[in-house]
Amino acid sequence: MEVELRVYATLRKYLPAQPLGEGTLFRPEPGTSVAGLLELAGVPLDQVKIIMVNNRHAGPEHVLADGDRVAAFPPVAGG
Amino acid sequence: MVGKILRVNMRELTVRYEDLPDKYLLFGGRALTSALVADEVPPGAHALGENNKLVIAPGLLSGTTAPCSGRLSVGAKSPLTGTIKESNAGGITAQKVACLGIRAIVVEGRPAGDGFHLLVVGEDEAKLLPAGDLTGMGCYRLNEELWKRYGTKSGVISVGPAGEMRMVVAGVSTNDGEGHPGRYAGRGGLGAVMGSKGLKAIVVRTDKAFDVPVKNREAFKEAARKFAKAIAEHPVTNAALPAYGTAVLINILNEAGGLPTRNFSDGQFEAAALCSGEALAETVQKRGGKGRTGHVCHPGCLIRCSNIFADEKGEAVCAPVEYESAWALGPNCGISDLDHIAVLNRLCNDVGLDTIETGVTLGVLMEAGVLAFGDGEAAIDLLDREVRNGTPLGRILGGGAEAAGKLFGLTRVPTVKGQGMPAYDPRAVKGIGVTYATSTMGADHTAGYSVTSNILKVGGFVDPLSPAGQVDLSRNLQIATAAVDATGLCLFTAFPLLDVDYALPSVVDMLNAQYGVNLTVGDVVDYGKEILKTERAFNRAAGFTKAHDRLPEFMRHEKLAPHGVTFDVPDEKLDEVFNF
């Protein structure tokens, strides 16, 4: 299956070739979780605070489906 | 004596100091501005008339060594909303006012004739001077001129041409340590109130920032040290905010489908990344020169969320460019060019406009076809020529989003109690919708920042797309925020306050040590509730009912992409927010 990962803020250093505002495609095994995808991408899970799958909050255990869009953020805030 | 009130009578052009009444001992910031407005302004007063008062108050901890305690509250009856209003800003002036022993400046009356004045407040005296030569000046030139006259350590509170013309989108500017006028008590048209008083600026002359007397110095020092540790240890306040500024929120709100785009017609902006905090930080680094991230707005700030945005030559354009402004003047107008956004932001600072109300009004005018979505040049021209010069079109923008919606016969007008909504669509971030609907201030995100739990997972998680749990979330945050707004602490200390167990007790310990009192953590909640009750009572007397605690109708039936959601927190639940 194919999924897209976008990393933001301080996580961008783990996918330095990813243009801002675009995703990077990965082809993990079916049944892979968000945590598995992040491992595959080399993004340390302990630096990830917020995960969204298809624009909804999800946990690292969330099992991905073909075509999913995953976004990962470190702790961020503002206002 | 627990401090002074400086009363400035603009009818008689007199100033006098009086002792702060004992009943106000523990009132600072928003608690004091709201108490004085409620006690002294008739709820039926015209906001631009003789009987309204502009109240300026540093927080309870401002002027001490408490970290991040430099907020300045400005209050009055709002000409935009008709409600009581408090808007607060960073910058260097709150600490200076506090160090002069002044707990509040109350500007009252209205001049019989035309003409503006300047209030100069020094160590021993305050005086009003004619300011005819400063009239019409934008805030950048005005700040330069006032620093030339009174020194570069002066705090400056001012209005631009929009405030002079009593436009209800006008804010009150304060300066940072470099003399940029970009720290704004922006919301609610308080600049128009200051303009209606014939007051162009207030200069506060002292070098001091940390000299407010503290009763128990050792206990205060220990509590301040603990609070500083909580701020330093929290990953939001020690990493994301200094590196990217508050605009780091652009991408996450866009991912969550809650970034209002093109006048709240979409929840995602296709070019969001181009105007995000990440893009801003990368641009600033690449260009060098005077641009920087990790900038402070006042001495003693440990968070450093501010920035200076520079142009391609490295010359400073605007400090700061922050999330709400970047969104209002960017995605909400379909504009993604950071240079256009920074120039628009600078123009708001110069002409004296609230960036949020200006951006929301521009969005409405773009929907009306007055200018096109995405046309940054036309927006720049509108602010720089029409608004600055008070042309009829400029005054249409100066009347705010709700008035513009009425003038052009539109129904998609994102306001509550007449105030434009900030940078979170309440259909996809329902907790903030509850705050917009019910806040004593109109649509105001800071009044109860439910985005924390809805989006950022600070202080727990409440699903932003479900109506469940949003009323409790908003109520608790509105109460806590009212209390924080009284202390002079930056609202961003709320992130450690929500997550670090010893943070709130250390704030209470600082207050106890400073004022020689024995507050408990439980008292803080009661304190916040009292502020809200005072404000609600004023609004009720001014004619507001639960029918005003509602979002605009289109948000109940117009579905927001990408989630296809409407705002579905029931009205009767909204009416439970103030059930205490």
Side-chain angles (χ1 to χ4, degrees), chain B residues 55-344:
Chain B
V55 183
I56 298 169
L60 283 169
L61 293 168
S62 303
T64 70
T65 54
C68 306
S69 60
R71 300 298 287 189
L72 185 73
S73 288
V74 183
K77 179 175 176 175
S78 163
L80 183 72
T81 63
T83 65
I84 201 166
K85 174 63 66 176
E86 183 264 359
S87 185
N88 62 67
I92 61 174
T93 307
Q95 291 163 310
K96 294 180 187 295
V97 173
C99 287
L100 293 178
I102 297 170
R103 296 283 297 270
I105 300 171
V106 181
V107 184
E108 47 199 30
R110 188 168 68 155
D114 293 334
F116 283 83
H117 281 79
L118 170 69
L119 174 68
V120 181
V121 185
E123 299 273 349
D124 305 311
E125 61 163 2
K127 57 189 174 190
L128 278 167
L129 303 170
D133 54 337
L134 304 173
T135 306
M137 241 182 226
C139 290
Y140 284 89
R141 207 174 126 216
L142 176 70
N143 271 260
E144 268 176 39
E145 179 60 33
L146 292 175
W147 268 19
K148 251 187 240 163
R149 291 184 197 177
Y150 298 104
T152 57
K153 299 289 185 189
S154 302
V156 176
I157 303 168
S158 64
V159 295
E164 292 178 31
M165 291 185 275
R166 303 178 302 284
M167 292 180 181
V168 294
V169 298
V172 173
S173 158
T174 69
N175 58 339
D176 65 15
E178 289 82 33
H180 304 120
R183 315 303 318 190
Y184 258 79
R187 307 241 63 196
L190 295 173
V193 179
M194 190 160 156
S196 75
K197 303 294 181 201
L199 189 59
K200 176 67 177 170
I202 302 171
V203 178
V204 183
R205 300 189 72 189
T206 176
D207 296 352
K208 296 172 185 164
F210 304 112
D211 289 36
V212 165
V214 167
K215 286 223 156 94
N216 184 339
R217 295 178 71 89
E218 277 312 305
F220 190 92
K221 205 169 143 188
E222 175 58 19
R225 193 191 58 77
K226 268 194 203 162
F227 189 54
K229 185 165 174 277
I231 296 167
E233 283 180 355
H234 197 282
V236 162
T237 38
N238 75 12
L241 282 172
Y244 301 105
T246 60
V248 74
L249 289 181
I250 292 258
N251 282 319
I252 191 164
L253 264 299
N254 193 55
E255 279 294 335
L259 185 73
T261 299
R262 295 187 182 85
N263 189 35
F264 289 73
S265 64
D266 203 330
Q268 289 187 310
F269 182 43
E270 67 282 359
L274 299 179
C275 50
S276 64
E278 289 92 330
L280 192 149
E282 286 171 19
T283 305
V284 163
Q285 274 159 19
K286 195 173 69 190
R287 289 180 175 176
K290 290 184 178 145
R292 56 187 292 200
T293 54
H295 176 241
V296 298
C297 80
H298 71 279
C301 166
L302 303 180
I303 301 175
R304 300 178 293 123
C305 76
S306 181
N307 54 45
I308 302 173
F309 187 84
D311 62 17
E312 285 182 337
K313 293 176 193 152
E315 292 300 321
V317 177
C318 186
V321 176
E322 55 174 327
Y323 173 62
E324 300 295 332
S325 308
W327 159 79
L329 304 164
N332 190 53
C333 295
I335 295 171
S336 60
D337 183 326
L338 263 179
D339 287 304
H340 281 161
I341 291 169
V343 169
L344 286 166

Side-chain angles (χ1 to χ4, degrees), chain A residues 6 8-10 12 20-21 49-50 52 54-58 69 71 73 75-79, chain B residues 236 240-241 244 248-249 251-252 255 268 273 278 282 424 449 454-457 465 492 495 563:
Chain A
R6 291 170 188 236
Y8 291 104
T10 47
R12 280 175 51 70
L20 188 57
K49 166 95 173 178
I50 299 155
M52 290 187 207
N54 302 330
N55 311 117
R56 288 174 183 263
H57 287 80
R69 167 176 167 155
F73 298 85
V76 294
Chain B
V236 162
L241 282 172
Y244 301 105
V248 74
L249 289 181
N251 282 319
I252 191 164
E255 279 294 335
Q268 289 187 310
E278 289 92 330
E282 286 171 19
Y424 318 87
Y449 192 63
N454 276 175
I455 301 292
L456 307 172
K457 293 198 166 176
L465 299 172
F492 295 160
F495 303 116
H563 295 296

Side-chain angles (χ1 to χ4, degrees), chain B residues 30-31 447 477-487 527-529 531-532:
Chain B
R30 174 176 170 185
L477 286 169
Q478 290 197 53
I479 292 167
T481 302
V484 171
D485 284 345
T487 61
Y527 185 84
K529 285 179 179 172
I531 296 167
L532 293 172

Side-chain angles (χ1 to χ4, degrees), chain B residues 228-565:
Chain B
K229 185 165 174 277
I231 296 167
E233 283 180 355
H234 197 282
V236 162
T237 38
N238 75 12
L241 282 172
Y244 301 105
T246 60
V248 74
L249 289 181
I250 292 258
N251 282 319
I252 191 164
L253 264 299
N254 193 55
E255 279 294 335
L259 185 73
T261 299
R262 295 187 182 85
N263 189 35
F264 289 73
S265 64
D266 203 330
Q268 289 187 310
F269 182 43
E270 67 282 359
L274 299 179
C275 50
S276 64
E278 289 92 330
L280 192 149
E282 286 171 19
T283 305
V284 163
Q285 274 159 19
K286 195 173 69 190
R287 289 180 175 176
K290 290 184 178 145
R292 56 187 292 200
T293 54
H295 176 241
V296 298
C297 80
H298 71 279
C301 166
L302 303 180
I303 301 175
R304 300 178 293 123
C305 76
S306 181
N307 54 45
I308 302 173
F309 187 84
D311 62 17
E312 285 182 337
K313 293 176 193 152
E315 292 300 321
V317 177
C318 186
V321 176
E322 55 174 327
Y323 173 62
E324 300 295 332
S325 308
W327 159 79
L329 304 164
N332 190 53
C333 295
I335 295 171
S336 60
D337 183 326
L338 263 179
D339 287 304
H340 281 161
I341 291 169
V343 169
L344 286 166
N345 197 338
R346 181 188 174 92
L347 283 168
C348 286
N349 295 347
D350 196 43
V351 178
L353 305 166
D354 173 22
T355 54
I356 299 177
E357 196 65 37
T358 298
V360 176
T361 310
L362 280 170
V364 170
L365 293 176
M366 285 174 169
E367 176 147 338
V370 175
L371 61 172
F373 280 114
D375 192 344
E377 299 284 355
I380 287 168
D381 192 58
L382 179 54
L383 298 191
D384 201 16
R385 285 201 312 129
E386 309 285 351
V387 183
R388 187 190 295 280
N389 295 310
T391 66
L393 179 58
R395 281 193 174 273
I396 287 174
L397 185 134
E402 185 150 302
K406 275 185 190 163
L407 286 169
F408 289 93
L410 302 178
T411 55
R412 190 189 293 132
V413 184
T415 60
V416 178
K417 299 183 179 80
Q419 181 166 287
M421 282 183 192
Y424 318 87
D425 196 300
R427 290 164 287 187
V429 192
K430 295 185 198 290
I432 204 71
V434 175
T435 298
Y436 290 167
T438 60
S439 136
T440 51
M441 305 284 158
D444 179 339
H445 62 296
T446 66
Y449 192 63
S450 308
V451 179
T452 48
S453 296
N454 276 175
I455 301 292
L456 307 172
K457 293 198 166 176
V458 173
F461 178 63
V462 176
D463 182 357
L465 299 172
S466 161
Q470 310 296 358
V471 165
D472 289 342
L473 175 65
S474 174
R475 177 193 303 115
N476 291 336
L477 286 169
Q478 290 197 53
I479 292 167
T481 302
V484 171
D485 284 345
T487 61
L489 292 173
C490 170
L491 196 52
F492 295 160
T493 65
F495 303 116
L497 281 171
L498 286 164
D499 279 344
V500 181
D501 58 0
Y502 61 84
L504 181 56
S506 66
V507 172
V508 174
D509 288 347
M510 285 192 288
L511 290 167
N512 286 336
Q514 184 182 347
Y515 292 94
V517 292
N518 290 297
L519 297 172
T520 65
V521 168
D523 292 333
V524 174
V525 174
D526 293 335
Y527 185 84
K529 285 179 179 172
E530 284 309 310
I531 296 167
L532 293 172
K533 284 179 183 171
T534 298
E535 293 170 350
R536 291 271 292 180
F538 182 93
N539 289 351
R540 260 197 311 277
F544 287 85
T545 68
K546 63 184 181 182
H548 298 93
D549 288 346
R550 300 290 183 260
L551 295 188
E553 189 196 19
F554 78 91
M555 291 188 163
R556 290 256 179 221
H557 61 76
E558 210 172 277
K559 288 182 180 172
L560 183 74
H563 295 296
V565 281

